[in-house]
Amino acid sequence: MQILYIKHQSRYSTQSTTMDDYLRLVTYGSAAIMGAYVVGTAFYSPKLDSIPAVGPSGIFSSYIGAYRYLRYGKDMIQEGYEKYRVFRVPLIHRWDVIVSGSKLVEELRASKEEDLSIREAFNEILQTNMTMGPNILGNPYHISVTRVGMTKNLDLCFDEVRDEIEHTFADHLALEGNEWKAIPAQATVMQVICRTSNRLFVGLPLCRNRDYLNLNFEFTISVVVAAQLINILPGFLRPIAGPWISPLKKYLRRADQHLSLLVTERVRMEELGNDYEGRPNDLISWLLDVAEGEERTVPALVQRILVINFGAVHTSANTFTHALFDLAAFTASFQEMREEAEQIIKEDGWTKVAVGKMHKIDSFLRESQRYNGNSITSMGRKVVKPGGFTFSDGTTVPAGCFVNVATGPTHHDPDIYPNPDEFDALRFYRMRNEDDEEGNIRHQLVATNLDYLPWGHGRHACPGRFFAGTMLKTMLAHIILNYDVKLEDEAAGRPPNQWFAAICIPNGSANVLFRKRQF
Ligand code: HEM
Ligand SMILES: *[C@@H]1O[C@H](CO)[C@@H](O)[C@H](O)[C@H]1NC(C)=O
Ligand SMILES: *[C@@H]1O[C@H](CO)[C@@H](O)[C@H](O)[C@H]1NC(C)=O
């Protein structure tokens, strides 16, 4: 899950009063609360002494470390990775434990929900019970709908996905003649992703409604900001102030204006069973295939659609913005990818099967996620086992602490990926071809393993990655086949990333130049 897009907010939305309110709340609120909180928690120290700390670890000096971590998280995690298998880094309100190496990562993957909980981790980081509603974690049926229903229907929905990609790019690029045109990368990708995803979620015409798209962008940001705020409150204040801080009610009301008629009608149609003629093949149907009891009510379905947008849009948009900068900056394989895509489409037509065969584009996106993931830690879990969780090396992480994997340093470890700091677009393409039949699967974009963790790994690995993978590959192929792309400032190179602790956000203000394909 992505944290903090506050800075970019104004560009996504014309209605930024809400965000201004939140920003003010955050700035003044957090200053006051922090003072009280620092004093209140300075004396609370979980039994972490046996785990080495990166940065100062004194009761007060660790707060300096926490501010360093916000700015230089990348360096601190790299330092920890080089020195230790298990270490901890200071956050403002807690320590995070970070593990690395296939042995320990495998133990984290294999752990049980009763020992290392992803639900409790989400609930603490995002305050899910308050910001999205307690039924989301209580009955997380949208996860299986995403993994099974959405993935299964991708074949049938492919033409719509592609249609929306074509339309959105045409609308947002609006190229004329053969001139280069500067396009704001992040804001444009955001629109394309949100529209394309919602073509599949709620269909036309709603997926092109400006306010509906904006409310989905804003909901994500508001939830993240609200969760941060709730998190720095002292525990006893959370249940009191939390519901008031939570943006959920407001966004449900706003989403209702767009969705309630549509969803009401769809729920009514289901009274005849789920095989009536003309039943749309979209997320609403896939939810209705599984939802039971209370979850079949209109408000609950609207809420679920918001939550899926939360999980889908910013993650995919940031991933693709990184990839677009890579495409413009690392041009060595551009022509090869174009030729491969062209050849395959000539043989198979513009189908999902064809996209599945575009191994060079697949490799490019996999390399882009390796090179710059959305986060340099992943697989966050909260220790819920009463006595703490003990790894095979003897390290015990106390209950209540968070464990993460040092994803970024793993992805840049020269023992795992030769020349790790070089963007090698066809790295995974070659690995696929060199390897046996199984390797053909092992190195594709959506495959996870102990050395490749942008989607997480194991039981909880991102259930949306099959959809995301197909959508992102189709977008990249569409760009490569129809446009020429380059950096606005070639001398300056790839626009620098923005860091917030472990979160790596592609530059929010940089442009990429587009023109109609010339050759
Ligand atoms: C490039 C885009 C995406 C990336 C990089 C990404 C990454 C991730 C990661 C790292 C996790 C946590 C895995 C773990 O902790 O073990 C996750 C979970 C999840 N993702 Fe994605 N994701 C993406 C797109 C999507 C999309 C498009 C959807 C929905 C359509 C989605 C839905 C979810 C859900 C529901 C979970 C929670 C799974 C659980 O609790 O078991 N994601 N994703
Ligand atoms: C969140 O809500 C779920 C479902 O109601 C509940 O089981 C869980 O205990 C709640 N978690 C917290 C920390 O309140
Ligand atoms: C993002 O890119 C723009 C233009 O290339 C540049 O002016 C700006 O400083 C960059 N932002 C960051 C945070 O690096």
Side-chain angles (χ1 to χ4, degrees):
M1 298 296 160
Q2 299 307 299
I3 318 286
L4 282 195
Y5 294 89
I6 313 168
K7 277 190 189 153
H8 313 323
Q9 177 56 22
S10 54
R11 262 190 314 287
Y12 295 155
S13 161
T14 46
Q15 296 175 299
S16 55
T17 24
T18 340
M19 292 315 301
D20 289 348
D21 290 349
Y22 269 108
L23 283 179
R24 217 170 303 125
L25 212 63
V26 170
T27 326
Y28 297 122
S30 49
I33 295 155
M34 280 277 292
Y37 189 58
V38 167
V39 176
T41 52
F43 304 99
Y44 166 76
S45 162
K47 296 178 219 68
L48 279 166
D49 294 344
S50 62
I51 300 174
V54 175
S57 61
I59 285 175
F60 287 104
S61 61
S62 65
Y63 286 101
I64 297 166
Y67 282 106
R68 246 187 77 202
Y69 183 65
L70 283 180
R71 289 201 58 181
Y72 306 108
K74 184 180 182 224
D75 300 335
M76 288 169 72
I77 289 172
Q78 185 65 37
E79 181 189 332
Y81 181 84
E82 281 164 18
K83 288 189 184 158
Y84 319 106
R85 286 283 80 135
V86 185
F87 60 98
R88 61 189 158 117
V89 290
L91 273 60
I92 291 166
H93 54 294
R94 62 162 196 261
W95 288 91
D96 261 7
V97 173
I98 299 188
V99 304
S100 62
S102 33
K103 193 153 190 291
L104 301 186
V105 178
E106 171 56 21
E107 289 167 24
L108 194 154
R109 182 205 64 79
S111 65
K112 294 195 295 278
E113 177 70 15
E114 303 86 75
D115 295 345
L116 296 180
S117 169
I118 188 172
R119 303 267 165 270
E120 289 299 322
F122 277 146
N123 192 39
E124 186 157 334
I125 294 165
L126 297 169
Q127 289 295 326
T128 315
N129 278 3
M130 283 190 245
T131 58
M132 301 189 205
N135 57 324
I136 296 300
L137 291 179
N139 178 8
Y141 79 98
H142 62 286
I143 296 175
S144 63
V145 167
T146 303
R147 181 166 30 235
V148 183
M150 195 179 291
T151 306
K152 195 176 69 190
N153 283 293
L154 269 179
D155 282 334
L156 292 170
C157 297
F158 180 77
D159 287 346
E160 286 168 73
V161 169
R162 195 170 83 79
D163 180 64
E164 201 57 41
I165 288 171
E166 263 180 27
H167 270 89
T168 327
F169 273 113
D171 286 355
H172 285 275
L173 301 185
L175 299 184
E176 283 162 24
N178 292 330
E179 296 305 307
W180 288 103
K181 181 173 174 187
I183 302 292
Q186 163 104 333
T188 307
V189 167
M190 197 70 190
Q191 292 283 344
V192 179
I193 296 275
C194 197
R195 247 175 83 164
T196 305
S197 307
N198 277 283
R199 176 77 182 260
L200 198 68
F201 298 170
V202 299
L204 284 168
L206 190 52
C207 70
R208 295 184 188 168
N209 180 298
R210 255 322 235 267
D211 186 66
Y212 173 74
L213 297 178
N214 281 340
L215 91 85
N216 280 303
F217 302 150
E218 288 171 24
F219 177 64
T220 306
I221 298 158
S222 297
V223 162
V224 171
V225 172
Q228 300 270 352
L229 198 54
I230 295 170
N231 265 324
I232 55 174
L233 289 175
F236 75 93
L237 265 182
R238 285 180 201 170
I240 303 164
W244 178 75
I245 295 171
S246 166
L248 180 63
K249 275 213 186 86
K250 200 176 86 198
Y251 280 92
L252 282 179
R253 235 179 289 129
R254 209 168 138 197
D256 215 46
Q257 292 170 1
H258 296 289
L259 285 165
S260 83
L261 275 182
L262 175 67
V263 176
T264 305
E265 175 64 9
R266 297 287 294 278
V267 172
R268 198 183 60 77
M269 290 298 282
E270 296 285 311
E271 285 164 14
L272 312 166
N274 68 356
D275 53 358
Y276 62 88
E277 184 153 332
R279 186 182 196 243
N281 196 15
D282 62 9
L283 177 68
I284 302 174
S285 290
W286 309 328
L287 288 172
L288 283 165
D289 283 339
V290 181
E292 285 175 349
E294 278 293 293
E295 292 297 337
R296 297 185 74 82
T297 60
V298 175
L301 289 160
V302 170
Q303 172 201 14
R304 217 42 87 150
I305 293 169
L306 267 183
V307 167
I308 292 180
N309 267 284
F310 177 95
V313 174
H314 278 77
T315 45
S316 309
N318 272 359
T319 300
F320 198 77
T321 307
H322 277 305
L324 184 55
F325 288 141
D326 294 336
L327 185 70
F330 309 119
T331 54
S333 308
F334 191 97
Q335 196 54 33
E336 248 188 278
M337 289 194 285
R338 184 179 265 177
E339 280 161 18
E340 185 195 56
E342 226 154 29
Q343 184 60 32
I344 289 166
I345 286 174
K346 207 185 287 168
E347 286 162 15
D348 291 83
W350 234 127
T351 60
K352 178 161 174 287
V353 173
V355 173
K357 290 182 184 170
M358 295 175 188
H359 292 186
K360 288 179 182 168
I361 283 177
D362 191 281
S363 171
F364 182 97
L365 285 167
R366 189 171 172 86
E367 174 73 351
S368 176
Q369 274 195 315
R370 178 195 73 80
Y371 196 73
N372 283 305
N374 284 338
S375 171
I376 51 167
T377 62
S378 67
M379 297 178 77
R381 304 287 183 264
K382 186 170 176 179
V383 181
V384 288
K385 194 177 182 183
F389 183 83
T390 305
F391 284 96
S392 63
D393 70 346
T395 309
T396 296
V397 185
C401 281
F402 278 69
V403 186
N404 295 270
V405 174
T407 308
T410 306
H411 289 167
H412 285 268
D413 186 332
D415 293 335
I416 301 172
Y417 297 102
N419 303 319
D421 297 326
E422 181 192 323
F423 186 96
D424 180 355
L426 301 183
R427 180 189 297 274
F428 294 103
Y429 176 80
R430 288 193 309 273
M431 287 166 81
R432 254 174 118 154
N433 289 344
E434 281 157 15
D435 240 325
D436 51 10
E437 191 57 31
E438 198 195 313
N440 191 30
I441 293 164
R442 196 163 51 234
H443 304 301
Q444 64 182 354
L445 175 58
V446 293
T448 69
N449 58 52
L450 294 170
D451 298 329
Y452 192 84
L453 301 161
W455 311 104
H457 181 45
R459 208 165 43 252
H460 293 293
C462 177
R465 66 191 191 279
F466 306 99
F467 165 59
T470 298
M471 175 173 60
L472 300 189
K473 281 199 285 180
T474 309
M475 283 171 63
L476 191 60
H478 177 75
I479 292 177
I480 288 175
L481 288 167
N482 294 287
Y483 304 104
D484 294 332
V485 174
K486 69 175 181 183
L487 292 175
E488 187 168 43
D489 184 350
E490 281 174 328
R494 189 189 191 281
N497 296 322
Q498 291 166 289
W499 287 90
F500 184 82
I503 306 295
C504 174
I505 305 170
N507 184 307
S509 56
N511 292 324
V512 166
L513 300 187
F514 278 78
R515 74 171 174 195
K516 284 183 191 157
R517 176 178 173 177
Q518 301 294 301
F519 301 105

